Amino acid sequence: MSEDQVFAIGKHRAHLPGNFLYASTNHLWAARPDGSGIEMGPGVWRFGFTSYAIALMKDVYFLDWSLAPGLRVRHLEEIGHIETSKAESGLYCPASGILLRINETLLEDPSAINTDGYGAGWLYEIDCPEAPNHLIDATAYRKHLEDNWEHTQRVLKGGINSISDEAETQGDDNG
Amino acid sequence: MSGKLTVVISQAQGKHPVKRGLEESLAAALLLEPGIDLSIVPHLVDLQPGHTGRLYLEGVTGDVVILGWLYPRAAFWLLDRIGVKGQEGASPMHPKAEDDEDLTEEEKAELADRPPAIGPSGAIPDRVITCLDLRHKDKHEPYVEEIRRILVETRSRRQTKQAQQAADRAPVLMELGLPSTGTNGNGPAKSFSAEELLQAPPGRRWYPVIDYSRCTNCLECLDFCLFGVYGADGDGRITVENQDSCKKGCPACSRVCPHQAIMFPEYKTAAIAGAPVGAIGGLKIDLSKLFGGGVGGGGDAIALAAQERDRELVKDGREAVGLAAGIPKRQTDRAPAARDELDDLVDAIDKLDI
């Protein structure tokens, strides 16, 4: 297990607890819903926004899923939409499998994402038939954030009109 | 002088409760404001020819403030396209790209270096159209305040103009205590009911809007689009001739435009939806790219545009053409630009194991 990590965004400090794994492409954390740790393997994984994602988005206003539990999802497929005080974004699936459960409370009141992002603010659970090996630990995730910070700032500044917004359907390319 | 200001709220598409909420509180507050004629119409993009809301807008002759869920630049040029023309009103709410203090020297130089644009066509009436973006603030008060400021401006401009006119036609005897004939050059000649104005448009529309303050009439979009959206008018000026031939969701031509003059007001990327380049300010950012959307999208706008165009061609049962048709020559004429920081970043991202 990795040590807890911190990534500084200006004055804000995003905490990346060591007892979670991270889907770096989607800025989601992953953990076993039964609290049995983060040992890699197939089965049910629970996902939620990292404090880094929340720091970019600020207060969540509105969360919308285009899928219902029981349906098959593919890695990086667009599965929903979020609107916050600062941003809006499509939401993309962090792993392939069956969407098992959605945190229904958030549909009525998404504030738990901001107040308890690593706990009550969890988003959904996916039953993965194959181990989602692309998940990385907190140290690697912090490094990913550092390495991409410059690009991120450019995207935040807008004006890059060569960026595609279409969620290209991607197979499992993480091997 | 009554000096009224026409204020139009253009509604969001769909029934987003937060957006509806802001529209409603804003309407309620503006109804109580003196000196304002308030109307509510559907989203500007969806106002097809003959829609009552559009007829209403066409009939307004005085100063107008438009409040909508799109970038002011997109709203202004969208109105221009439907013949609602005027001077573009400046608002401290939406500083111009050129005035953005965060711009780097390079960006400033680039803005100053823009080639001369062809400007709007036809006569531009002497009135001001100010567009405000409802995504800018989540409370109605700042908008009401800004509208009060614009109203003061409108009135002082009108007084100046009237004084000027009076001076010009002196010493003709006309001040006989009679109300001046004619209208005060303000509201539309015909009035419509609120229901008529808000009649639901038959569907969402999707089409490009040209910013003629940037367009140089290079006609690259005309060559690139294979769906017949663009045409040239009698004077050889590029126009969006067949709006409804445009392919929903496809923003390819705006990527090809060398001057970022083509906007798709509903597109997710700020730069394509009409954001002042380099200035995002308090507006909502689209984080899709950062959250895992469009992974694999390259850094080359032209290649991406060709891909998007191919997708639409294939949907139509036509053959994909890739880069073989309508690709601007400047791509081949020009020596490859020196690699910049962004190229390196894009390559670095491509290499990431994601």
Side-chain angles (χ1 to χ4, degrees):
Chain A
M1 187 187 295
S2 159
E3 301 269 309
D4 291 0
Q5 302 287 323
V6 172
F7 180 74
I9 310 166
K11 282 181 203 152
H12 184 89
R13 305 178 83 72
H15 291 270
L16 314 170
N19 57 341
F20 289 89
L21 290 178
Y22 296 88
S24 58
T25 314
N26 311 95
H27 301 292
L28 297 170
W29 55 257
R32 296 294 191 179
D34 57 8
S36 64
I38 52 170
E39 199 177 319
M40 182 43 67
V44 181
W45 288 90
R46 175 179 282 188
F47 295 90
F49 285 115
T50 66
S51 56
Y52 170 83
I54 295 165
L56 292 186
M57 300 189 294
K58 304 284 187 297
D59 291 341
V60 178
Y61 285 172
F62 207 70
L63 195 60
D64 191 23
W65 301 110
S66 47
L67 293 181
L71 291 174
R72 179 170 293 279
V73 290
R74 283 196 306 158
H75 185 215
L76 297 185
E77 176 182 350
E78 182 163 356
I79 56 172
H81 189 81
I82 191 165
E83 188 175 337
T84 70
S85 57
K86 282 280 178 231
E88 48 192 345
S89 179
L91 295 174
Y92 305 88
C93 198
S96 296
I98 305 287
L99 184 65
L100 208 61
R101 215 147 73 93
I102 282 174
N103 186 350
E104 302 278 346
T105 0
L106 298 181
L107 299 178
E108 287 295 314
D109 176 11
S111 58
I113 294 175
N114 294 103
T115 54
D116 187 12
Y118 288 101
W122 64 276
L123 296 174
Y124 46 76
E125 294 168 7
I126 295 175
D127 191 353
C128 306
E130 284 171 39
N133 286 318
H134 56 286
L135 300 179
I136 54 178
D137 70 11
T139 313
Y141 180 50
R142 198 210 63 222
K143 177 146 192 333
H144 172 86
L145 295 181
E146 278 166 7
D147 292 348
N148 287 283
W149 182 233
E150 205 159 337
H151 171 73
T152 301
Q153 284 176 301
R154 277 179 181 268
V155 174
L156 295 179
K157 277 258 175 194
I160 304 182
N161 62 356
S162 59
I163 284 177
S164 164
D165 298 85
E166 298 277 333
E168 305 283 349
T169 37
Q170 302 262 318
D172 269 2
D173 49 359
N174 302 284
Chain B
M1 290 297 134
S2 68
K4 286 222 171 196
L5 176 67
T6 304
V7 176
V8 180
I9 297 177
S10 166
Q11 288 187 325
Q13 293 168 323
K15 293 194 168 72
H16 195 302
V18 176
K19 293 180 177 174
R20 274 288 178 280
L22 176 58
E23 289 164 4
E24 280 164 15
S25 62
L26 190 53
L30 288 173
L31 280 173
L32 301 174
E33 284 292 308
I36 281 170
D37 272 335
L38 176 70
S39 297
I40 306 177
V41 300
H43 198 296
L44 293 181
V45 169
D46 292 337
L47 294 179
Q48 81 281 15
H51 187 282
T52 321
R54 181 157 161 177
L55 296 176
Y56 168 79
L57 284 167
E58 287 167 5
V60 179
T61 53
D63 285 3
V64 190
V65 176
I66 306 273
L67 300 135
W69 302 92
L70 66 175
Y71 287 103
R73 191 161 75 87
F76 181 81
W77 291 104
L78 217 159
L79 290 169
D80 176 84
R81 172 66 179 80
I82 65 175
V84 181
K85 292 168 183 277
Q87 316 287 338
E88 190 172 4
S91 166
M93 247 181 172
H94 304 299
K96 290 263 176 214
E98 290 84 335
D99 302 336
D100 186 348
E101 288 169 5
D102 289 343
L103 285 186
T104 62
E105 288 305 314
E106 282 164 33
E107 284 167 326
K108 278 183 190 155
E110 206 179 303
L111 285 173
D113 217 25
R114 265 189 205 151
I118 54 176
S121 67
I124 302 304
D126 181 21
R127 56 95 170 256
V128 175
I129 300 176
T130 312
C131 303
L132 302 178
D133 188 340
L134 287 174
R135 299 169 300 177
H136 194 60
K137 301 271 181 206
D138 50 13
K139 300 240 165 27
H140 68 263
E141 290 87 351
Y143 294 104
V144 175
E145 220 166 274
E146 174 59 6
I147 287 166
R148 284 183 191 143
R149 187 196 65 80
I150 295 171
L151 180 61
V152 170
E153 258 189 10
T154 293
R155 285 185 167 156
S156 89
R157 201 168 37 241
R158 186 167 303 151
Q159 273 166 10
T160 315
K161 195 170 149 190
Q162 277 164 349
Q164 184 62 44
Q165 281 171 350
D168 286 352
R169 54 179 180 237
V172 177
L173 287 176
M174 60 173 303
E175 311 302 336
L176 298 174
L178 294 170
S180 59
T181 50
T183 65
N184 55 19
N186 198 30
K190 187 177 180 307
S191 64
F192 301 99
S193 71
E195 289 73 28
E196 281 176 314
L197 290 180
L198 260 178
Q199 130 209 145
R204 291 190 177 187
R205 299 175 79 207
W206 174 269
Y207 52 86
V209 174
I210 300 177
D211 177 343
Y212 288 102
S213 72
R214 294 189 180 185
C215 175
T216 62
N217 214 36
C218 70
L219 305 181
E220 286 184 7
C221 48
L222 180 66
D223 289 340
F224 179 81
C225 175
L226 301 177
F227 303 99
V229 172
Y230 292 96
D233 68 11
D235 299 330
R237 292 167 54 97
I238 187 81
T239 56
V240 180
E241 206 168 67
N242 302 302
Q243 289 178 320
D244 294 319
S245 301
C246 188
K247 299 296 176 184
K248 193 156 195 278
C250 174
C253 56
S254 70
R255 301 187 197 277
V256 172
C257 176
H259 305 295
Q260 290 87 45
I262 299 176
M263 300 174 277
F264 285 86
E266 294 299 285
Y267 198 66
K268 288 192 280 184
T269 302
I272 291 178
V277 173
I280 295 295
L283 290 166
K284 290 200 176 172
I285 315 161
D286 179 19
L287 295 179
S288 296
K289 178 70 182 177
L290 295 180
F291 284 2
V295 175
D300 181 352
I302 302 288
L304 189 55
Q307 259 175 36
E308 285 164 342
R309 182 177 65 177
D310 278 350
R311 190 156 51 212
E312 300 303 330
L313 284 168
V314 170
K315 266 193 221 158
D316 264 11
R318 294 164 67 178
E319 294 245 343
V321 298
L323 294 166
I327 299 299
K329 287 198 186 64
R330 65 191 149 93
Q331 293 302 308
T332 48
D333 287 352
R334 204 171 53 179
R339 287 183 64 81
D340 63 10
E341 196 185 6
L342 183 58
D343 293 327
D344 295 340
L345 280 163
V346 168
D347 287 354
I349 288 156
D350 285 346
K351 274 189 217 127
L352 286 178
D353 183 24
I354 44 177

